[in-house]
Amino acid sequence: MELVKIPAHVGIIMDGNGRWAEARGKKRSFGHREGSKMVDKIVTYAFKRGVRALTLYAFSSENWARPQEEVDALMDLLATYFKKFIKKVEKNNVKLVVVGGRDRLSDSLKKIIEDGERATKDNTEHILNIALNYGGRQEIVHAVNSLIKDGEEVTVDSISSRLYTAESGEPDLIIRTGGELRISNFLLYQSAYSELYFTDVLWPDFDEVELDKALESFSQRKRRFGKVTNA
Ligand code: FPP
């Protein structure tokens, strides 16, 4: 499919793993496992299509309230994903950035994340931001506090420069799978002018064809950024 415009930065709220599993009479953690397989596919495909940066919402600061078994399963999947990512690092040119507070993560997961970020820090072609223990409001508070601490003026641009995703720029497109029509504390500051794409498809079913539909929809949007003329 020929697309007129490819978004440079895409954010994805990967919702619907639990319902996908429950519909098959399985545990919610089974849905997360299937969902993490789709992460692999979509990351590869999005970068192949020319997306420069991806931000994936893997675990929100509110997700700690889920049953411990589910939280543990998600943490295990993330650790496995990061370890696999580090192994593949020679073959791709992707910089891994884990965005969100590290305070509540286990020491072993923190170490894996640090290893992954260190191993990929000089990669330049793509950025993969994984939002983990992430909340958009908390990110804004963190950014403003860091400015105050450094005695810098708080402005629209200075806040932007201190966001976890600063290097990726603002998301051009935010996709939410799973049928809900809300942002759920994801990239609140950065999404001021993002195009939004909602689909009922549950995350474990969101394959390359579905991503193409989202890219096609983005390609047809007229972005004006509050002005009268088209971008
Ligand atoms: C929302 O589905 C999904 C999550 C809270 C976790 C997303 C995690 C993954 C896709 C797997 C691990 C991630 C990586 C990057 C390897 P839900 O549980 O809220 O589903 P529901 O709305 O159907 O209950």
Side-chain angles (χ1 to χ4, degrees):
M1 188 199 310
E2 271 310 308
L3 298 173
V4 187
K5 285 182 292 181
I6 295 281
H9 179 185
V10 177
I12 310 184
I13 303 174
M14 307 178 290
D15 199 11
N17 294 344
R19 277 167 286 160
W20 188 92
E22 280 158 10
R24 287 159 181 77
K26 307 262 193 197
K27 282 190 184 175
R28 296 174 55 82
S29 53
F30 180 75
H32 295 314
R33 204 159 60 232
E34 289 305 301
S36 74
K37 290 183 194 160
M38 207 43 99
V39 168
D40 265 338
K41 279 197 192 164
I42 290 298
V43 169
T44 306
Y45 187 64
F47 289 158
K48 198 172 110 197
R49 295 253 37 188
V51 171
R52 177 171 177 268
L54 267 178
T55 302
L56 305 183
Y57 207 0
F59 193 91
S60 78
S61 36
E62 288 74 36
N63 286 154
W64 295 105
R66 293 191 175 205
Q68 193 59 42
E69 187 191 348
E70 187 175 343
V71 170
D72 291 345
L74 278 166
M75 292 298 150
D76 282 352
L77 281 171
L78 284 158
T80 306
Y81 183 78
F82 294 136
K83 281 192 246 170
K84 246 173 48 194
F85 194 91
I86 298 168
K87 279 201 190 130
K88 283 193 297 195
V89 82
E90 305 291 320
K91 281 190 257 147
N92 63 36
N93 194 1
V94 181
K95 178 172 179 170
L96 174 70
V97 180
V98 178
V99 304
R102 300 267 163 102
D103 47 321
R104 290 186 74 173
L105 307 183
S106 71
D107 287 344
S108 62
L109 185 55
K110 272 190 259 192
K111 164 94 173 54
I112 295 166
I113 291 170
E114 281 158 18
D115 288 348
E117 288 186 331
R118 195 175 322 106
T120 62
K121 71 178 176 21
D122 297 323
N123 289 351
T124 50
E125 201 176 340
H126 299 288
I127 303 175
L128 176 60
N129 300 301
I130 301 287
L132 167 51
N133 187 26
Y134 173 86
R137 288 176 174 172
Q138 293 86 329
E139 180 184 33
I140 297 167
V141 170
H142 176 269
V144 172
N145 276 329
S146 85
L147 289 167
I148 293 170
K149 190 163 150 265
D150 293 347
E152 286 196 29
E153 195 185 351
V154 177
T155 66
V156 168
D157 287 342
S158 69
I159 293 176
S160 288
S161 73
R162 298 289 174 114
L163 297 174
Y164 297 126
T165 58
E167 198 181 336
S168 304
E170 295 179 358
D172 303 287
L173 171 67
I174 293 183
I175 298 170
R176 181 172 189 143
T177 65
E180 310 288 358
L181 305 179
R182 55 176 172 260
I183 286 294
S184 299
N185 210 10
F186 185 55
L187 304 180
L188 290 186
Y189 196 88
Q190 302 86 320
S191 63
Y193 289 101
S194 301
E195 296 296 325
L196 305 178
Y197 179 86
F198 296 100
T199 170
D200 287 337
V201 174
L202 304 175
W203 175 253
D205 291 327
F206 189 84
D207 58 9
E208 291 93 336
V209 172
E210 294 299 331
L211 181 65
D212 268 341
K213 288 186 199 165
L215 295 177
E216 171 69 21
S217 169
F218 175 82
S219 185
Q220 287 165 10
R221 308 276 176 103
K222 305 251 183 293
R223 304 187 78 196
R224 287 188 286 276
F225 300 94
K227 303 187 189 100
V228 177
T229 48
N230 293 341

